[in-house]
Amino acid sequence: MVTVGNEDVMVKLQEIEELLNTLGKKHPKEISAFSRFLRETLDNKALTTREKELIALALGISAGCEWCIALHTQKALEAGAKKEELIEAGLVAVLMAGGPALMHLIPLMKAIEAFEKEHGGE
């Protein structure tokens, strides 16, 4: 587990896992269907998984979802995205969503810092 001054990033990922586990027990059909949709959508097709994760990251930033930002930063890095690509995706979100999205570059920067060592950060 990554710890810097960014425990909140790891907490967000843990909260996602806990939510999906809890809902998976109470609503297995729905969570299973969502998980299948997620896997199918993010699979390499016309766009690579890396490109899709960058899009998901930008959308998470524009929606103000810190859980999405943590998750899709991690997944984008795992798919081969570079730090500058993550920041650029964040700036596209700011372009489209304005000042509130700019403030959500804070959790993006925390997530990048938290995952940098795992993914050979620049």
Side-chain angles (χ1 to χ4, degrees):
M1 183 177 265
V2 178
T3 54
V4 183
N6 298 310
E7 298 84 18
D8 57 324
V9 172
M10 300 313 292
V11 168
K12 297 268 186 265
L13 295 178
Q14 185 177 354
E15 289 171 342
I16 293 169
E17 186 176 336
E18 289 170 2
L19 175 67
L20 293 175
N21 285 336
T22 298
L23 292 176
K25 291 174 186 164
K26 296 182 180 192
H27 304 280
K29 289 181 184 178
E30 294 89 339
I31 296 305
S32 178
F34 178 78
S35 294
R36 278 192 314 277
F37 179 66
L38 178 72
R39 282 191 307 274
E40 192 63 33
T41 301
L42 291 177
D43 194 25
N44 283 309
K45 294 181 182 151
L47 296 173
T48 66
T49 299
R50 181 182 71 49
E51 291 166 329
K52 290 176 185 180
E53 288 295 348
L54 290 168
I55 292 167
L57 173 61
L59 290 168
I61 291 167
S62 66
C65 177
E66 291 187 34
W67 294 267
C68 301
I69 295 167
L71 178 65
H72 293 292
T73 298
Q74 179 188 46
K75 296 297 183 185
L77 287 165
E78 288 173 358
K82 304 292 182 227
K83 179 179 179 177
E84 278 307 311
E85 292 176 308
L86 298 167
I87 293 169
E88 211 168 298
L91 291 172
V92 171
V94 172
L95 172 68
M96 300 304 292
L102 180 63
M103 295 304 103
H104 281 90
L105 294 187
I106 294 168
L108 170 62
M109 300 308 285
K110 286 181 180 180
I112 290 170
E113 183 181 333
F115 297 120
E116 253 179 338
K117 290 178 184 165
E118 285 182 18
H119 298 282
E122 300 170 5

